[in-house]
Each structure stands twice: as C-alpha cells, then as structure tokens.
C-alpha cells in the first residue's frame, strides 16, 4: 500500500467534508475469489457485487495472508467504487477493497457488522 500502516502514526492532513463526500465507499458482496498467481505479494482477485447502481466490479488486494478464497464468497466488504480502474500486473482492479493492517501488517478486511443492502454508501 501507499500509506503509513503504523497505528501510532499521526493523522493525515485535514480535508474538507466536501472532499470526503467525493469518495464513494459502498458495500458489496464477494461473489468470486481466487489466488492471484504471479503477484509480487500474496494477493487475491475478487469479483464483488455492489448492487444495481454500481454492478459487479473486479478488485485485487493483498489479503491472501489471512483469507482463503473460498471463505470470502458471500462476505460483505467495503470498497471505493469511483477510483479509475488500475492495472495491477496482468489484472485490472476496478474497485479498492478496504481493510486495516493488523499487528503484523496483514490486511484485515473492513465490513459491516450486520448485513446491509449491496450498494449501501458509507456516510
């Protein structure tokens, strides 16, 4: 990732609330997951259903250290859906799946604590 993962790091620069509103974070359900063979760091390729307004998006993330593909199917996760697509090796990532680093720096996925409709927006 491109940000500091140290839990004791200072807060990022202040932004205006209007800037926060530009980031479209939605909930979606993982409908397919597979190991991303050939990735530099252990990664998974996901297909996530973000509901009727957004549809299905592909995402590549470094969550393979803590998650097996088969255990992710049906799990809801949060993702940024309005970044431009990004080429990650041979795969195209159309959404940024969100997570937090644990004590060892491994990605822990961010998801709601109870089911919500796919496409629900974070506010």
């Amino acid at each position: 990732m491109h940000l500091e993962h140290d839990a004791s790091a200072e807060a990022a620069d202040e932004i205006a609330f209007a800037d926060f509103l530009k980031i479209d974070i939605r909930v979606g359900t993982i409908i397919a997951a597979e190991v991303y063979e050939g990735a530099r760091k252990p990664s998974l390729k996901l297909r996530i259903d973000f509901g009727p307004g957004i549809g299905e998006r592909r995402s590549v993330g470094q969550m393979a250290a803590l998650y097996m593909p088969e255990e992710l199917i049906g799990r809801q996760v949060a993702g940024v859906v309005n970044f431009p697509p990004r080429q990650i090796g041979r795969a195209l990532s159309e959404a940024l799946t969100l997570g937090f680093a644990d004590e060892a720096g491994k990605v822990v996925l961010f998801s709601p604590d109870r089911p919500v409709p796919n496409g629900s927006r974070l506010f």
Side-chain angles (χ1 to χ4, degrees):
M1 290 305 304
H2 307 285
L3 300 176
E4 179 66 44
H5 291 294
D6 182 357
S8 63
E10 293 184 20
D13 293 339
E14 238 180 53
I15 63 171
F17 188 69
D19 292 328
F20 169 73
L21 292 176
K22 293 177 185 176
I23 304 168
D24 194 350
I25 300 173
R26 305 282 183 116
V27 166
T29 299
I30 297 172
I31 57 175
E34 63 182 277
V35 173
Y36 184 8
E37 300 293 342
R40 286 185 289 155
K41 295 183 180 180
S43 301
L44 299 177
K45 294 193 295 186
L46 308 175
R47 267 194 13 247
I48 305 169
D49 178 4
F50 285 104
I54 304 295
E56 290 182 18
R57 297 278 176 98
R58 294 173 289 182
S59 182
V60 176
Q62 297 174 3
M63 70 279 298
L66 295 179
Y67 302 98
M68 298 299 295
E70 58 274 6
E71 74 181 274
L72 292 175
I73 307 301
R75 180 186 176 129
Q76 286 194 305
V77 293
V80 178
V81 298
N82 66 331
F83 286 151
R86 183 173 178 192
Q87 194 72 41
I88 301 176
R90 296 181 318 270
L92 185 67
S93 190
E94 303 168 309
L96 174 66
T97 304
L98 300 177
F100 294 95
D102 69 6
E103 300 83 16
K106 297 175 182 170
V107 176
V108 176
L109 292 171
F110 181 61
S111 60
D113 64 354
R114 44 186 78 165
V116 297
N118 287 341
S120 292
R121 187 170 181 177
L122 180 75
F123 62 92

